Structures are given as C-alpha cells and as structure tokens.
Amino acid sequence: MARTPDGPPPPPVVQRLRLRFTKRGRLRFTSHRDFQRALERAVRRAGVPVAYSAGFNPHPKISYAGAAPTGAASEAEYLEIALSTKVEPDALRAALDEALPTGLDVVEVVETAGGALADRLVASEWIVELPGVTPEEAAGAVVTFLAADRVEVTRLTKNGNRTFDARGAVVRLGVVDTLPDLLVRAGAQVPPPPCAILNLVVRHTTPAVRPDDVLAALRSQALLAPPSPPRMTRLAQGPLDEADGTVADPLTADRNAAGA
C-alpha cells in the first residue's frame, strides 16, 4: 500500500506574483543556489504566506527563470512565487526587500496575468566593462567578430567540456561611450581609462551563450585579451524586438492586466 503524508494537504494557491530583483556590488558573486537560500530565509523572516507543495518533503512554490551566472551583476533577475493568502504586491516587495541583504534588492512585484514567465525571457542585454582595453581596440575586435559566420568556443560544464557557436546568438554588439543611466543611478562607476565598454544583446539559446563566452570568442577571433577581469552587468531580459534588436520588459503584460 502506498504511503501518504500525515496531516491535511497544504492550502491551495490563491495568488501568483512575479518579482524583479537585482544583484549588485559584492552580491554579484552570489551563486544561484546561495540566492535561493537567502530568498527562502527572507520569505520566512518577512512572514510571506508562500504556498508549499504536497508530499513528504514539501518545498515553497518559488520558480526562477533566466538566472545570471555567478560573478555577473544584474538589474533584471526574475522569479515567480505562489501564495496561499492574497497580499498587496507593494507590501510584499517592501517586506522582502527589507529582509534581503543590500545588493539583492526587490525593485518590482506584480500579479501574474498568466502564461509562463520563462517563455517571455527570449534575450538579454548586457554591459561589459573591459579595464585596460581602449575603445579603439575593442571596436576593431567587434568588427572582426561580427564579420564571422560562426565562432566556436569551449566551456567547461558539469558534463565536461562543451563546444558551441557563440556568434549565432549575438543580436547586437558594439562599443559605447558611457555607462547607461540605469547603472549610474545604481552607483556604478567606470574604472579609470583605458576602459572599453561593450553593449551586447544575446538570444537565450541552448546551451546559453553568456557574455564570458562572447569575450572568449573575441579573444580567439580577434586576439582581444583584457589584462584585468571584465565586469558584466545584465541590463534587461525579456522579449526580443527582431527589427531593432532591443529587449522589452517581460512584466508589461502583467502590469497592463493589473491596470485594466
């Protein structure tokens, strides 16, 4: 006979909320697993009525989408949380933001309008700072990279080394003069010159092509080798406008539905 857990089943889900949060400063070195632990502690500390799965090992119904790699900062990380009691999104945002460490900042919470959040995260826009590299050096390498039909890179994964094309996923790549206002308002400062700044838009593919893969491709294709570690920040992730290569806000549909 099959065993069943003791006690009543968990309360049903009555509300689903989507959160946008950041990884800033030293917290960019937080791994995805570290963030999961920090969030679950913050949920308990803030008294969030999170819904739980059934079974012998119930777990909070929190789903994550498109997490940035360890070491990369981000202004656009997303998750969805299911609740057993309805709450005001702004109140939950404030409570969770206060319970999380500075740098892991909850900047927006909206009620979901349905559909899978992951399906909206089609592409990401990145800023990549290259201390010790002049804008002219970076621009020449970008031209060489974009002229190639395919640039293979190899990355060590949990299943061993994997070789894949880094060029095909790149929608847009160029050198810009300054950091975007979004990062300046968040307190980011450009290292002293020389420091080239790349603006990159990349499709979400399988395997995922990350900014460090593009830098590896620039090294192999155009011999661009920054003397200092680069700093990578995700500005946005969401639907991709194929016409102009821009990345839209994935929470727009949820926001519009809430205001309807």
Side-chain angles (χ1 to χ4, degrees), residues 7-260:
V13 173
V14 300
Q15 187 182 34
R16 295 183 187 274
L17 298 176
R18 288 173 177 168
L19 286 68
R20 178 168 73 90
F21 64 95
T22 69
K23 285 174 56 181
R24 295 170 175 160
R26 294 177 62 187
L27 272 297
R28 69 186 184 276
F29 297 109
T30 303
S31 71
H32 181 57
R33 183 167 293 182
D34 289 337
F35 172 74
Q36 287 179 303
R37 286 193 289 261
L39 180 73
E40 291 182 16
R41 285 195 299 268
V43 163
R44 291 192 296 270
R45 194 176 301 123
V48 176
V50 61
Y52 281 81
S53 63
F56 288 100
N57 296 296
H59 60 272
K61 290 190 173 184
I62 304 173
S63 57
Y64 305 86
T70 303
S74 178
E75 294 293 315
E77 299 298 287
Y78 295 93
L79 63 85
E80 183 171 302
I81 184 169
L83 304 179
S84 59
T85 302
K86 282 197 171 186
V87 302
E88 286 296 325
D90 285 344
L92 182 138
R93 186 209 64 76
L96 271 184
D97 189 51
E98 184 175 355
L100 283 166
T102 301
L104 298 177
D105 303 319
V106 182
V107 293
E108 185 175 10
V109 178
V110 298
E111 193 160 4
T112 174
L117 176 60
D119 290 345
R120 300 182 193 173
L121 305 182
V122 177
S124 287
E125 181 179 6
W126 293 85
I127 285 291
V128 182
E129 301 166 52
L130 303 176
V133 176
T134 67
E136 293 75 19
E137 290 172 322
V142 166
V143 169
T144 300
F145 172 81
L146 294 178
D149 294 326
R150 181 180 179 88
V151 182
E152 290 191 343
V153 297
T154 300
R155 187 206 307 155
L156 179 62
T157 70
K158 61 182 180 181
N159 297 319
N161 285 330
R162 185 164 187 180
T163 300
F164 53 92
D165 174 32
R167 174 64 184 90
V170 174
V171 178
R172 190 176 76 234
L173 176 62
V175 180
V176 295
D177 295 331
T178 60
L179 290 178
D181 290 342
L182 175 64
L183 297 189
V184 174
R185 290 195 300 270
Q189 295 181 339
V190 181
C195 180
I197 304 173
L198 301 180
N199 179 238
L200 167 68
V201 174
V202 60
R203 285 186 183 86
H204 295 175
T205 56
T206 303
V209 174
R210 309 182 312 200
D212 51 319
D213 298 320
V214 176
L215 292 178
L218 289 171
R219 186 181 304 112
S220 66
Q221 189 74 10
L223 303 180
L224 183 70
S228 301
R231 185 165 64 184
M232 301 171 285
T233 305
R234 174 149 55 191
L235 295 180
Q237 61 172 325
L240 174 66
D241 188 325
E242 296 284 354
D244 60 10
T246 57
V247 178
D249 186 340
L251 300 184
T252 298
D254 303 297
R255 228 179 276 117
N256 291 343

